[in-house]
Amino acid sequence: MAKQGKKQGRAPDGRGKQHKPSKKGAKGADGPGGYPAAERPDVVLVVDVAYLTVADGELVVLLVERGREPHRGRWSVPGVVLDPDEAAADAAVRAVVARAGIPDPFVHQEQLDVFDAVGRDPRTRVVSATVLGVAASARPPAGGTLAGSRWWPVAALGDPDGPALAFDHGDIVAAGVERLGTRLEHTDLATALVAEPFTLGELRRAYEAVWGVELEPANFRRKVLSTPGFVARTAGKRIVGTGRPADLYVRGGGAVLHPPLPRGR
Amino acid sequence: MAKQGKKQGRAPDGRGKQHKPSKKGAKGADGPGGYPAAERPDVVLVVDVAYLTVADGELVVLLVERGREPHRGRWSVPGVVLDPDEAAADAAVRAVVARAGIPDPFVHQEQLDVFDAVGRDPRTRVVSATVLGVAASARPPAGGTLAGSRWWPVAALGDPDGPALAFDHGDIVAAGVERLGTRLEHTDLATALVAEPFTLGELRRAYEAVWGVELEPANFRRKVLSTPGFVARTAGKRIVGTGRPADLYVRGGGAVLHPPLPRGR
DNA sequence: TGAATAGTGTCTTTCAGACAATATGGA
DNA sequence: TCCATATTGTCTGAAAGACACTATTCA
């Protein structure tokens, strides 16, 4: 689950890997509880965003083509260096605005893992606090606004035709997909991925896109409709392709699913 | 659940809160994908640890009394400034070793939330990457090794007799307790909180301490014994206080609980 | 008419909650 | 003997999986 959360059967005990403060920074004594202003190691903190949505029945992620070394020509998730007077949530918005030109990008955002491996950026020590950003299906323009940024199907990331990812950004996307998946299990966040009004078939296909499984329509329907606050019936019906017209629904105003919506096997 | 993960019904769209790089740092252009070495805002990244275990049927957390301002005399979780050549997991170990003198402190550690509120430290911008550290029940010496550090019952943190917490460290402890609780639901981590061999009563009381609820012994037993790899029977019996002697078990070598072990109502 | 999708109903299995009944030690 | 805890077993209800069947549209 957690990419970084690993068991330490035998953890370093402070002798095995004796700590020695590096030359630059960390000048102050290591006494309990103090972080004097002088003590400033050269660690750069960036905020990177796994920005996801569902489009045309596919889970897609916004990537930016790198114009400079290292990893020039590879694709990365949008990110910015955290500014000292800025909250991480604001930095996440700024990253998507600056790199892709999409204003007001999130219907939902939450923290993901911290990626902190020492060699992940060849230039300096860069620690990345990552954020899951979710776009409403209808909103983002099909191809982003700034040149060099576009939505890629998550399924294409392994492909030879797909984008090659820079640094460990493949892990960042994976963490975002995984987190989005568990949110769909336990909350009504899926309703943010479809445009109102929506049919239960559309909602179900959003789940299928994120989870990569097929769900039994009858059982899905039973679960959604029996959960208070998940969806609310609205007037009218809609014909999608062929088949019987489907009832229309809007978001129900908030639901916690317990037990969760089961994710097949 | 996630303290920092908040919905943004209307997120800043890049105009409402126009970003202006602060004076110090962030000198480089904000062009896509580059973090030149010159671009180093004054953000200090620390690693703080919610270090928990169960002792005498109580969930306890290791706290360190602050010897200097700000918040002198208040209690904080162990933490250190991240060194540029050090992984966060190693920094977490170093924090507990340095602040409490407990070597090889963790049977398990994993990332928690990032605490990044702008004013959380009055001195500089300090962002805290927090870690949940779990100690084996038997191991940690009852009162820590270094003066100024000790285990506090988590239940005492709200009390007038309990420790006053520095900064937002109460939130860090809360995040750790919450995460430990969900790990107990879904994994066999509880077996790390009891000394081998253990009785199912001891294991159940570990759950009760973390969750703060009472569990039905018969149903708890059924769930644990029916989950492959959770516990393994070992020879002998043990009498705890009064009552019938209990069978003894050891860790089963790894289990994922699905469905999870339900946490009462 | 046939294909495709939506909607309704039912049967079965799994599993948790509640709780009774028995087992076995110490005070 | 009484009390406390462990262990076993049973009954019940909630909820998911599987699937049959009907409804309704378009090609």
Side-chain angles (χ1 to χ4, degrees):
Chain A
M1 171 159 282
K3 288 278 159 340
Q4 305 269 318
K6 58 205 165 203
K7 288 215 181 188
Q8 294 196 309
R10 286 294 130 195
D13 64 357
R15 276 170 310 229
K17 177 169 184 158
Q18 190 63 50
H19 174 72
K20 193 170 43 180
S22 72
K23 329 83 228 167
K24 323 161 98 176
K27 309 173 196 64
D30 215 41
Y35 313 125
E39 220 183 286
R40 275 192 199 132
D42 296 311
V43 175
V44 178
L45 181 60
V46 307
V47 174
D48 286 319
V49 185
Y51 185 40
L52 300 171
T53 193
V54 170
D56 300 318
E58 265 189 331
L59 179 64
V60 292
V61 59
L62 188 108
L63 298 178
V64 181
E65 193 170 16
R66 284 182 61 79
R68 62 173 92 166
E69 296 297 343
H71 294 190
R72 180 188 203 121
R74 288 174 171 255
W75 295 77
S76 63
V77 302
V80 291
V81 176
L82 182 70
D83 200 70
D85 55 13
E86 172 189 48
D90 295 327
V93 171
R94 183 164 64 88
V96 175
V97 171
R99 307 291 182 227
I102 299 175
D104 191 11
F106 304 143
V107 272
H108 171 80
Q109 79 164 93
E110 65 183 84
Q111 290 186 5
L112 288 176
D113 298 334
V114 172
F115 288 80
D116 69 308
V118 169
R120 59 185 292 277
D121 188 307
R123 293 165 296 181
T124 2
R125 181 69 189 286
V126 178
V127 172
S128 169
T130 62
V131 168
L132 165 65
V134 178
S137 168
R139 280 207 42 274
T145 322
L146 290 190
S149 74
R150 60 159 286 193
W151 294 96
W152 280 97
V154 169
L157 297 205
D159 281 18
D161 313 325
L165 292 199
F167 308 108
D168 53 4
H169 288 200
D171 296 333
I172 295 176
V173 174
V177 172
E178 165 115 11
R179 180 70 61 86
L180 179 58
T182 69
R183 285 291 169 262
L184 262 47
E185 284 184 89
H186 295 95
T187 74
D188 61 354
L189 183 57
T191 58
L193 295 172
V194 291
E196 283 183 318
F198 51 86
T199 70
L200 294 189
E202 290 163 353
L203 187 64
R204 177 171 47 81
R205 282 184 286 275
Y207 273 92
E208 291 174 338
V210 175
W211 286 353
V213 299
E214 299 224 320
L215 297 177
E216 172 64 35
N219 297 337
F220 177 80
R221 175 191 193 77
R222 177 178 56 197
K223 178 66 174 180
V224 171
L225 294 183
S226 70
T227 301
F230 200 159
V231 299
R233 182 71 199 283
T234 190
K237 292 180 182 287
R238 179 190 301 157
I239 303 158
V240 177
T242 175
R244 173 174 172 175
D247 296 343
L248 292 175
Y249 296 84
V250 292
R251 301 180 186 111
V256 178
L257 280 53
H258 349 262
L261 208 160
R263 198 176 175 155
R265 190 92 327 268
Chain B
M1 171 164 278
K3 287 281 159 337
Q4 305 269 317
K6 58 204 161 199
K7 288 215 182 186
Q8 293 194 310
R10 287 295 130 193
D13 63 357
R15 278 170 310 231
K17 178 170 185 159
Q18 190 64 51
H19 174 71
K20 193 171 42 179
S22 72
K23 330 84 228 168
K24 321 161 99 178
K27 308 174 196 63
D30 217 38
Y35 312 123
E39 219 182 284
R40 278 196 195 126
D42 295 313
V43 174
V44 178
L45 181 60
V46 307
V47 173
D48 286 319
V49 185
Y51 185 40
L52 301 171
T53 194
V54 170
D56 300 316
E58 263 189 331
L59 179 64
V60 293
V61 59
L62 188 109
L63 298 177
V64 181
E65 192 169 17
R66 285 183 60 79
R68 62 174 92 166
E69 295 298 343
H71 293 189
R72 179 188 204 120
R74 287 174 173 255
W75 296 78
S76 63
V77 301
V80 292
V81 176
L82 181 71
D83 200 71
D85 55 12
E86 170 188 51
D90 295 326
V93 171
R94 183 164 62 90
V96 174
V97 171
R99 308 290 182 229
I102 299 175
D104 190 10
F106 304 144
V107 271
H108 171 81
Q109 79 163 94
E110 66 182 81
Q111 290 187 6
L112 288 176
D113 297 335
V114 172
F115 288 80
D116 69 310
V118 170
R120 60 186 291 278
D121 189 307
R123 294 165 295 179
T124 2
R125 182 69 190 285
V126 178
V127 172
S128 169
T130 61
V131 167
L132 165 65
V134 178
S137 169
R139 278 203 45 270
T145 322
L146 290 190
S149 74
R150 60 160 286 194
W151 294 97
W152 281 96
V154 169
L157 297 205
D159 282 16
D161 312 325
L165 291 199
F167 308 107
D168 52 6
H169 288 199
D171 296 333
I172 295 176
V173 174
V177 172
E178 166 116 12
R179 181 68 63 86
L180 180 58
T182 70
R183 285 292 169 262
L184 262 48
E185 284 184 89
H186 295 95
T187 74
D188 61 353
L189 183 57
T191 57
L193 295 172
V194 292
E196 283 182 318
F198 50 86
T199 71
L200 293 189
E202 289 163 355
L203 187 63
R204 177 171 47 82
R205 281 184 285 275
Y207 273 91
E208 292 173 338
V210 175
W211 288 351
V213 300
E214 300 224 319
L215 298 177
E216 172 63 35
N219 297 337
F220 177 82
R221 174 190 194 77
R222 177 177 56 198
K223 177 69 174 179
V224 171
L225 294 184
S226 69
T227 301
F230 201 159
V231 299
R233 183 70 200 282
T234 192
K237 293 181 181 284
R238 180 191 301 156
I239 304 156
V240 177
T242 174
R244 173 175 170 175
D247 295 343
L248 293 175
Y249 295 84
V250 293
R251 301 178 186 113
V256 179
L257 280 54
H258 334 278
L261 208 160
R263 199 176 174 155
R265 190 90 327 267

